[in-house]
Amino acid sequence: MMVLPKLLNTVYSIAKRNLPFSAVEDEIELQIKNGLDMAVRLHSRKSAVKIVAHIAKTKVFAKIIQQNLKICVIIDEASTISNKAVLVIFVKVEDSEFSLTIFVDLVQLEGQDAEPIYTTLLNSLNNVGFDNEYLTNNLTAFCCDGASAMHGKVSGVSSRIKQGFPDIIIWHCLNHRLQLVLDYSIKNIKQVNHFETFIDEMYKIFHQSNKNQMELFKISEKLGIEILKLGRVLEPKWAACSLRSTVAVWRAYQALFDYFSSKEKFTGMAKRFAKRYFLEDLALMIDILKEISLLSNALQ
């Protein structure tokens, strides 16, 4: 039993430092080398996840319920690498000093319409201690994106929640609204459209070919340039993701230009890179995306 507190403290330290749970095995191995008795069980990543879930339920959520704090539920739908639909659930907690956003659950969905999303949401909230009585008294708001399954006025998740909790405030996520405005603007500005198409074409060249990636990496090593991950820009990415992608192109500009110049089939790409207006567009896009990213972070 004396080993359990050491394991709990180790996992808690990993979670508090926002490290991946896979780091728990290395942390425990280090402590064993330092002479601590860490037993032989509960050393895996899965065990770390269960321990953190237990700490959250018995400490964090129990304290929220004990203090009878008001909460806002924030949800978003996502997909795993294997294209399975999952629901991401957070609660925003209001007290006298802080406004904390706390992760609740990441759970696979049985379906992507309103009913399974609503059922999954309530089950997850109940599992951490927020029963229907507590939600009736303390659930003040619900925030989601503008998808019809989420925000539909007739049969969306928000309308289902409104039926169960009539006093709740339904809020369309401001970050999603900002992204919708950005997407609409892109479609109506021809120059930005062309820029997006060009960067996406470059992304495909390296994303779909390990050989191209390795050749670019060799050129960057000769130039002493660190290649950041090249990605797509703008739709359907968030502004912060697009900013990282454009900054990656800016930093790897010389390596990319040398790579395209060395390949006859990419002479068109090399000519575009050599144009002054491309660098001007790239720099302008970075400045714009920085401002939009700051606004996006402020709205979280």
Side-chain angles (χ1 to χ4, degrees):
M1 291 298 293
M2 294 299 293
V3 176
L4 186 58
K6 298 174 187 176
L7 290 169
L8 292 175
N9 288 334
T10 301
V11 174
Y12 180 74
S13 173
I14 289 171
K16 196 171 182 180
R17 288 178 287 160
N18 291 320
L19 295 176
F21 289 131
S22 56
V24 69
E25 296 176 5
D26 291 335
E27 292 277 335
I28 291 175
E29 183 181 353
L30 175 61
Q31 295 188 43
I32 292 173
K33 287 181 178 179
N34 287 335
L36 293 179
D37 178 15
M38 302 297 289
V40 294
R41 300 180 61 191
L42 303 177
H43 290 186
S44 68
R45 176 183 59 83
K46 289 184 178 180
S47 297
V49 172
K50 291 179 181 179
I51 290 172
V52 170
H54 173 75
I55 293 173
K57 187 173 182 178
T58 57
K59 299 291 183 181
V60 179
F61 295 116
K63 187 175 181 180
I64 293 171
I65 295 169
Q66 182 182 3
Q67 295 181 3
N68 203 37
L69 299 177
K70 303 295 182 183
I71 62 172
C72 165
V73 171
I74 305 169
I75 69 171
D76 195 13
E77 191 180 349
S79 298
T80 64
I81 296 176
S82 55
N83 291 322
K84 294 180 180 178
V86 294
L87 188 67
V88 189
I89 306 170
F90 292 86
V91 292
K92 194 171 183 64
V93 183
E94 300 292 338
D95 64 19
S96 57
E97 297 181 9
F98 304 104
S99 177
L100 303 175
T101 301
I102 302 171
F103 172 76
V104 177
D105 206 355
L106 173 67
V107 56
Q108 186 174 329
L109 291 169
E110 297 297 328
Q112 292 178 272
D113 53 354
E115 184 60 34
I117 294 175
Y118 176 75
T119 302
T120 300
L121 172 61
L122 282 188
N123 287 340
S124 293
L125 293 173
N126 291 159
N127 287 340
V128 297
F130 297 133
D131 56 25
N132 288 343
E133 181 182 356
Y134 185 88
L135 293 175
T136 300
N137 296 326
N138 296 281
L139 181 58
T140 60
F142 171 74
C143 181
C144 63
D145 64 20
S148 58
M150 294 287 191
H151 211 61
K153 293 183 179 180
V154 178
S155 59
V157 177
S158 58
S159 62
R160 292 292 311 276
I161 291 179
K162 190 74 173 177
Q163 292 172 8
F165 310 98
D167 296 329
I168 197 172
I169 298 170
I170 304 298
W171 192 255
H172 182 183
C173 173
L174 289 176
N175 263 317
H176 281 91
R177 293 188 189 184
L178 176 63
Q179 191 64 31
L180 289 173
V181 171
L182 186 60
D183 293 344
Y184 180 79
S185 301
I186 292 164
K187 292 175 182 178
N188 287 275
I189 302 175
K190 187 181 295 184
Q191 293 86 344
V192 176
N193 231 318
H194 290 168
F195 178 83
E196 178 193 7
T197 302
F198 178 75
I199 298 296
D200 282 355
E201 184 62 32
M202 183 178 61
Y203 163 76
K204 292 175 185 177
I205 289 171
F206 297 106
H207 180 70
Q208 297 174 357
S209 171
N210 290 330
K211 179 183 176 184
N212 292 344
Q213 289 183 33
M214 290 302 298
E215 290 178 358
L216 177 63
F217 181 72
K218 289 177 181 177
I219 292 174
S220 69
E221 278 191 322
K222 290 179 181 178
L223 295 171
I225 297 173
E226 181 183 1
I227 298 290
L228 302 179
K229 184 178 180 180
L230 300 174
R232 301 179 65 185
V233 298
L234 305 175
E235 191 179 14
K237 295 288 187 179
W238 290 103
C241 298
S242 297
L243 176 61
R244 287 195 292 269
S245 297
T246 50
V247 169
V249 174
W250 180 269
R251 292 183 178 177
Y253 174 81
Q254 186 63 58
L256 288 166
F257 176 73
D258 288 358
Y259 173 80
F260 291 132
S261 299
S262 66
K263 302 289 183 180
E264 187 176 348
K265 63 179 178 179
F266 294 137
T267 52
M269 301 287 286
K271 288 179 181 178
R272 180 76 182 269
F273 258 75
K275 298 289 186 182
R276 177 179 173 180
Y277 70 80
F278 172 76
L279 277 176
E280 291 174 345
D281 288 348
L282 183 61
L284 179 61
M285 190 59 66
I286 290 173
D287 286 344
I288 292 171
L289 288 172
K290 278 182 179 178
E291 297 300 322
I292 296 175
S293 294
L294 287 173
L295 177 58
S296 178
N297 289 333
L299 294 175
Q300 290 181 9

